[in-house]
Each structure stands twice: as structure tokens, then as C-alpha cells.
Amino acid sequence: MGISPRSTTTAGDFASPFSSSFRASSPLAHESLARDLAEFSDDEVDVDVQGTGDGGSDSDVDETVGPMLYRRPSLVPFGSSRPSLNLGPSGPHDDPALLTRLERARSRDAERSLLRDNHILPPKHAISQQQKGHAGPLTSLYKRVFSTKLPRGSGDEEAPPRIVIGPAETTPLLGGEERERGRAVTREEHEHLNARWEAAVAAGQIKTTWQREAKTIAVYSRSLVITFLLQYSLNATSIFAVSRLGTLELGAVTLASMTANITCYAPIQGLATSLDTLCAQAYGSGHKQLVGLQLQRMLYFLALLLFPIAAIWWNAERILASMIEPDSAALAGQYLRILVLGAPAYAAFEAGKRFVQAQGIFHATTYVLLIAAPTNVFLNWLFVWHLGWGFRGAPLAVAITQNMLPLLLFLYVWLVDGSQAWGGFRKAALRNWGPMIRLALPGMVMVLAEWFAFEVLTLASGKFGVATLAAQSILVTVSSTTFQIPFPLSIAGSTRVANLIGAQLVEAAKTSAKVTIVGGVVVGLFNVTLLSIFRYKIPMLFTQDPEVIELVARTLPVCVVMQLFDGMAAVSHGLLRGIGRQEFGGYANLVIYYIVALPISFGLGFGLGWGLTGLWVGVTFGLLLVSLVEYWFMWWSDWNVAAKEAENRNAAG
């Protein structure tokens, strides 16, 4: 169920040979930036000459010199049951020039930690031989299993040779100890660490352990899982609230959600991905206020597109009635007419997310969702059940919640952080739309192509009747919810592998990839176990209709098997992004889903009369085939070539 997500990425001017960035160039972003700069004099634009967005002191400048091993996990369009499809390097990737001070400090800590684990730097806390001798068997076992340090050889001659970098005249004699006490790190100490790190990498002495990679990927994943589950809950809650009203209502809400996804949410998310390039390009160049200019352009552009979308939603009943039975079409049309009230806010939030993410403010959307998600649950209960508004209450709750999202994000930017990149309203936002549109349209096509491949199954299930459409609604909701675990894991794995590839640590990247693959299998087996145990309980959370329950229970075994392949495919997509081969994954997905999986689904579902089970067998086989093809490609790929390509891109700036 997971096609490769698109990394939220940037294209600044940082060009260290051991940078963690794994970028692709974006001439359109450069063109847009050049046009904007030509329209403003130097005193109209706030320029941060270092391009960090911090405008800090000399110590900040020192921290950006040299390799950057740490990178925040890549962000993707939240709030969808399907991630966006990435067909190639049409947008840039996370740039270390946009790391915050804290993140740059974490990069330095990660480098020091790896140097200590490889016994190139002395340990942070020295342990005497007497202390080692008093270690009990349980302590020794714990360290053997969970320690991130590489084991030393049996003799001193097998230990890696210590790399010694001569101190400068101004190097403190007690630099390491002083640093632990909180003293500011000097330029000489940064250069000393950079030289030692680069020498160790060049000598091939930096290796990693599965324990370290498991810990890193787990830390990257945990917050992403929470964020993904929170935003996906906005749509899932309305399905839960409506499901108890009846079988007709349950199928209609899924049909309406599918229509909203294809006609509005997917296009808006795809178009907004251009800001991942444009906003980050402007911010990384040091012209922070041009970030707000790019945001304004996208808001105006999306506002124009909302008029035809509103027209489609307003007449959705007649459009859908030509394809499925009239009662479901009538309710779905009613749902969409109310949901129109939230479409402008949804567009504003998608653009606003990119505005704050370009500044490295990734936690803002999480804070917003921590408020909005519980409110959405309350509003669904209040409108659908307490006030007795029934089916109409669910879209109204969603629309109100969608209007809350940009408002809360605006308050965060205004009161907390992010307003420095706004710069006020400008007439220039009505010009220079060409680069934005040329970047936005491919993103929209990629998202729509992937989304449609899955949502078309919901439309096809409506051909079997109301009960089958309701069962499809339950299956889609369950499988999309479970997907919110392996998908963030794939993002974390992609980020870590890209970091190590960018730092020329190919063997370490392979170790991290293996850990991520195992993690994907473990998560898949967890989902398999969960759905197997509650096979008959899950449909009862949504409905009491015996026919729907039986349909779901009959199809769930296929859905259970799919969970394992879903986790494997999600991880394979992420690893392809990590080594810069996402275009292969994009084309593989298109070919397999449209030429193999969907024809099998329709052949089994309609041709052989397998019904809903046949539809899901096709996509399950498609996921298995996608994961096998992508793992085969990665197995035979030369990762050293990927590392060399990353080095060349970073050196080119």
C-alpha cells in the first residue's frame, strides 16, 4: 500500500564534499529566485550572507563548515491514505544549510559519537580496568547486545590506527573536557573535528553497528508515526462517526472521500510540493522574505483552482450517479457540498506547511495537529450523535477542523516562530508564476497517478452494491491506518541512508538499509498479527450489518497478507530515495500497478466473480512484485556510484 513518498527538500548553497545532502538540482527554482531578486533592491530584502537563516555569530558559521552527518527526517504531504509518488529528482533534497543551530549541534554530536564507536576518539566517559572487572554477567550481556561500539580486535595491532591531527597554536589543551562543561566551541575545534572526520572517512575507518542504526531509525520514526496518525485521524474519524448510521452511509462517506481525494486533495498536495523547492531555495539563499512571496503566489494559484473544484463537488451527485447506484451518489454529493466549506483552508494549510518547513520549523504542524485532532473527534461526536444531525454532521466537523488548521498555524507563526520569512503582502506575487507552475504540474501528476491507482478500486467496488462499498470503506480505513507505521519508518530509513551515502560511508549505509528492511518486516508482521487476531472484531467497530461484517471478514485474510508486503514495499521505496534512485521506483510502480496489478484485480473481481476479494488480491500481488523488483534493483546497484554522484552534486553546489 505504499508507493514511494516524496521527500521535502531544499536547494541551498552549501557545498561540502561530505555533506549529508543528497540533492538534485532545480534550475527552475534558480530562475524564479533570480527573477525575484531582480525586482528588489538590496535594502528591500533581508539577506543572511551565510545562508543559514539564523544570522548568527561566528560560532554558527563555524558549525556549518565541514560535513553534516545529521539530517532531519524528510517530510511528505501529510493527511493522505497514500503517500505521493516520486518519479525522479524533480525537486531538491534536504540541505544542511537549512539546519537549525540545534540540528547542526546534533550533526557534530553524531560525528563525535561515530568516531568514539570506532575507537578513533577517546570514550566520552573513561572506564577503568577495575570498573570493567566488577561488571556482572548481566551488565556484560546488556553491553554486548545493545552497545553501539564496534568490538576491538583481540590484539592492539588489530585496532584501527588512531588518527592524530596536530593542534593549532590556539587549540585548548583541555578542549574536550571544557566542551562537556558547556563552553562555546571554537573555530579551531570545529576544524579539528572536520579534519579528523574526513581523514577517518578517507581511510575507510568509519563503520557502524546494527544497534546504532536501529536506535537512530527508531528516534527518527517515533515522532513521525504520531504525526501521521494524528492527521490521518481527521478523515478516519468521520468514517467511524458515520459508520453506525447504516450501510448506505458508510459506503457513501468512502465514496465522497475518494472523490475529494482525486479531485481536490491530491492535486493540491501535488501542486504544493513545488514550494518544497521554491521556499527552501529562497530561504537557503539567505533571502528569507522571498519565502513569503512564494507562499503568496501558491495561495493565489490554488484559490483560482478551487473554483472548478467547487463546481465539481456541487454537482457530484449527478456525476457519481452515472457510475454507481443513485442512493450512495446522493449522500456522497451531500457530503461534498458541505465539505466545500473546508477546501480553501485545506489549500492554505498545505501551502503553509511548506512555508514553515522551509525554515526548518517541522514541529509546528505537530503542535497544530495535537490540538486539531482531538477537536475533530469531539465535533464528530457532537454533530453526528449528540445534536442528532446525522450524516451531515460528519463533513461539517471535517470542514470546521480544516479551517482550524491554517488558523492555528498562522497563530504559531505570528506568536512563536516563522514570521521572519513573511515580508508582508507584495504585488510581485501576481507575477513570475511560470517557474512555480512548471514545478507544480509534474508534482500534481505524480500524486494523482498513484492515488488514482488505489482509489479506483473503491469506485469499482460500488459496482457490486451498497454492502460491498461499505465493506471496502472499512478495509481502506483499516489498511490506511496500519500503513501509518511502515511509512514513517521508510522516511526514517531514507533519511539515514541518504546521510551516510552523502558522507561517503557506503558500508554503513548498507548496514542501515539492512536494519530498515528488518524493521519493515517486523512492522509488517505486527500488522499481520493485529489484523489476524481481530479479524471479526474490526468490522464490528464500524457496523452491525451481518452482510458487511461477513464481506470484511472474508476479505481480511488477503488484507492481512498485504500488510507484510506493504511494509516491505514502503521500506524499499524509502531506500531507493536514500540512494538517489527514486526514478526507478516511480516507473516500476506505474508499470506494475497499471499493467499488472489493476488488470489482475478487475479480472479476478469481475471476470472470475471473486468480488471484493479479487480486487484486493490484485493490489496485494502488485505490492509483492513492487517490493521484489525494487530490492533486486538495490541488491545489484553499485552504492559507491551513488555516493560518488552525491559527492559530485554537493561539490557542484
Side-chain angles (χ1 to χ4, degrees):
M1 185 171 217
I3 295 182
S4 58
R6 182 179 188 79
S7 301
T8 297
T9 54
T10 59
D13 300 324
F14 190 84
S16 167
F18 295 107
S19 164
S20 66
S21 174
F22 200 59
R23 293 177 296 175
S25 61
S26 180
L28 290 177
H30 286 287
E31 176 188 344
S32 177
L33 181 62
R35 288 183 183 179
D36 290 335
L37 290 177
E39 297 185 12
F40 299 101
S41 62
D42 291 338
D43 58 351
E44 287 181 292
V45 182
D46 179 23
V47 179
D48 176 4
V49 295
Q50 298 301 332
T52 64
D54 295 329
S57 62
D58 290 340
S59 63
D60 295 331
V61 176
D62 295 336
E63 291 186 44
T64 64
V65 177
M68 290 284 112
L69 183 63
Y70 174 87
R71 186 178 76 182
R72 71 182 79 89
S74 304
L75 267 287
V76 295
F78 287 147
S80 65
S81 59
R82 313 298 321 161
S84 61
L85 176 66
N86 190 352
L87 288 179
S90 58
H93 294 259
D94 273 308
D95 194 304
L98 301 188
L99 295 179
T100 64
R101 290 189 182 96
L102 176 60
E103 289 167 338
R104 290 198 299 272
R106 287 174 178 170
S107 175
R108 291 289 176 244
D109 290 341
E111 291 160 9
R112 289 188 183 91
S113 183
L114 268 176
L115 290 171
R116 292 189 185 107
D117 282 358
N118 285 272
H119 313 291
I120 296 171
L121 286 181
K124 187 174 182 179
H125 304 291
I127 301 177
S128 66
Q129 292 294 330
Q130 183 178 5
Q131 289 175 313
K132 291 181 179 179
H134 285 88
L138 292 179
T139 303
S140 300
L141 178 63
Y142 177 85
K143 290 182 177 180
R144 183 183 297 271
V145 175
F146 295 103
S147 175
T148 60
K149 291 184 178 297
L150 274 81
R152 287 183 179 272
S154 57
D156 292 339
E157 71 280 3
E158 298 183 23
R162 179 68 59 83
I163 296 175
V164 178
I165 305 295
E169 294 180 358
T170 57
T171 301
L173 296 178
L174 300 176
E177 295 180 6
E178 289 292 331
R179 184 185 182 280
E180 298 298 335
R181 295 172 187 169
R183 182 184 53 78
V185 184
T186 64
R187 178 188 299 272
E188 289 77 11
E189 289 170 316
H190 280 302
E191 293 175 349
H192 184 74
L193 176 63
N194 292 340
R196 179 162 290 187
W197 172 263
E198 294 186 11
V201 171
Q205 294 183 356
I206 302 296
K207 302 184 185 303
T208 188
T209 60
W210 70 264
Q211 293 95 332
R212 167 174 290 280
E213 297 312 305
K215 178 181 177 181
T216 301
I217 292 171
V219 170
Y220 279 6
S221 300
R222 62 190 182 190
S223 59
L224 290 178
V225 171
I226 296 172
T227 306
F228 273 76
L229 287 172
L230 281 174
Q231 187 150 1
Y232 180 68
S233 71
L234 299 184
N235 291 328
T237 300
S238 63
I239 297 177
F240 271 105
V242 168
S243 61
R244 294 283 179 163
L245 295 175
T247 302
L248 179 64
E249 289 81 359
L250 178 57
V253 71
T254 299
L255 185 62
S257 298
M258 178 270 292
T259 305
N261 287 338
I262 293 177
T263 59
C264 179
Y265 297 156
I268 285 176
Q269 285 191 8
L271 293 169
T273 57
S274 66
L275 294 184
D276 296 337
T277 301
L278 295 169
C279 286
Q281 175 73 58
Y283 189 81
S285 69
H287 303 88
K288 294 185 290 186
Q289 293 183 0
L290 295 184
V291 180
L293 180 64
Q294 300 291 356
L295 172 65
Q296 291 172 51
R297 286 196 183 110
M298 179 55 67
L299 289 176
Y300 296 152
F301 181 49
L302 294 179
L304 293 178
L305 295 180
L306 286 174
F307 288 102
I309 290 173
I312 293 173
W313 285 13
W314 200 258
N315 296 281
E317 179 180 348
R318 286 182 290 175
I319 298 173
L320 294 173
S322 64
M323 294 179 282
I324 62 171
E325 55 89 22
D327 292 337
S328 296
L331 282 179
Q334 183 185 82
Y335 189 101
L336 290 170
R337 282 194 293 271
I338 299 174
L339 203 60
V340 167
L341 299 175
Y346 179 87
F349 183 63
E350 284 300 314
K353 280 194 303 187
R354 273 70 180 187
F355 173 76
V356 294
Q357 288 171 9
Q359 302 175 65
I361 308 172
F362 281 75
H363 50 268
T365 52
T366 303
Y367 294 152
V368 168
L369 289 169
L370 285 173
I371 299 174
T375 303
N376 182 59
V377 174
F378 170 75
L379 291 176
N380 271 276
W381 168 82
L382 179 67
F383 295 159
V384 176
W385 294 104
H386 186 70
L387 298 179
W389 293 356
F391 186 84
R392 293 175 298 173
L396 183 59
V398 173
I400 292 176
T401 305
Q402 287 178 340
N403 279 277
M404 287 178 57
L405 294 175
L407 177 60
L408 291 173
L409 188 60
F410 166 75
L411 291 175
Y412 183 93
V413 170
W414 180 33
L415 300 175
V416 182
D417 191 14
S419 59
Q420 63 272 10
W422 171 240
F425 288 97
R426 297 177 182 270
K427 292 182 179 179
L430 300 174
R431 302 187 295 271
N432 194 20
W433 283 26
M436 177 188 69
I437 294 176
R438 280 181 282 167
L439 280 172
L441 291 180
M444 183 186 71
V445 172
M446 287 186 288
V447 175
L448 275 176
E450 185 276 336
W451 217 313
F452 183 77
F454 281 87
E455 297 295 355
V456 72
L457 296 181
T458 298
L459 191 61
S461 66
K463 293 287 186 178
F464 294 113
V466 174
T468 304
L469 183 59
Q472 170 73 1
S473 173
I474 296 173
L475 292 169
V476 167
T477 303
V478 171
S479 58
S480 296
T481 302
T482 56
F483 183 68
Q484 307 309 312
I485 305 177
F487 186 32
L489 175 68
S490 75
I491 296 173
S494 171
T495 300
R496 182 60 173 174
V497 168
N499 286 343
L500 296 171
I501 286 288
Q504 310 299 297
L505 303 178
V506 174
E507 292 304 317
K510 291 181 178 180
T511 300
S512 185
K514 293 174 184 177
V515 170
T516 308
I517 292 171
V518 172
V521 173
V522 170
V523 169
L525 291 175
F526 170 79
N527 289 339
V528 165
T529 304
L530 190 67
L531 296 189
S532 298
I533 293 174
F534 298 103
R535 174 183 174 186
Y536 288 95
K537 299 291 184 183
I538 288 174
M540 297 177 66
L541 296 174
F542 296 86
T543 183
Q544 297 299 319
D545 188 312
E547 183 181 2
V548 176
I549 293 175
E550 178 59 29
L551 279 171
V552 174
R554 189 191 311 159
T555 311
L556 259 180
V558 179
C559 189
V560 164
V561 174
M562 192 198 73
Q563 299 302 312
L564 179 59
F565 304 149
D566 207 6
M568 293 170 57
V571 167
S572 67
H573 301 327
L575 296 180
L576 282 176
R577 293 193 309 276
I579 64 173
R581 296 292 185 267
Q582 59 266 49
E583 67 276 8
F584 175 84
Y587 293 123
N589 277 278
L590 284 177
V591 170
I592 291 173
Y593 281 116
Y594 284 96
I595 297 180
V596 179
L598 287 181
I600 291 177
S601 292
F602 292 132
L604 295 177
F606 295 99
L608 298 183
W610 289 17
L612 188 60
T613 302
L615 296 181
W616 280 84
V617 167
V619 295
T620 300
F621 178 74
L623 281 169
L624 171 61
L625 190 58
V626 163
S627 59
L628 292 178
V629 168
E630 291 183 349
Y631 284 127
W632 171 84
F633 179 82
M634 283 185 287
W635 177 266
W636 290 104
S637 293
D638 189 342
W639 288 35
N640 290 291
V641 173
K644 186 64 177 178
E645 291 173 352
E647 182 181 6
N648 292 338
R649 280 194 294 269
N650 295 330

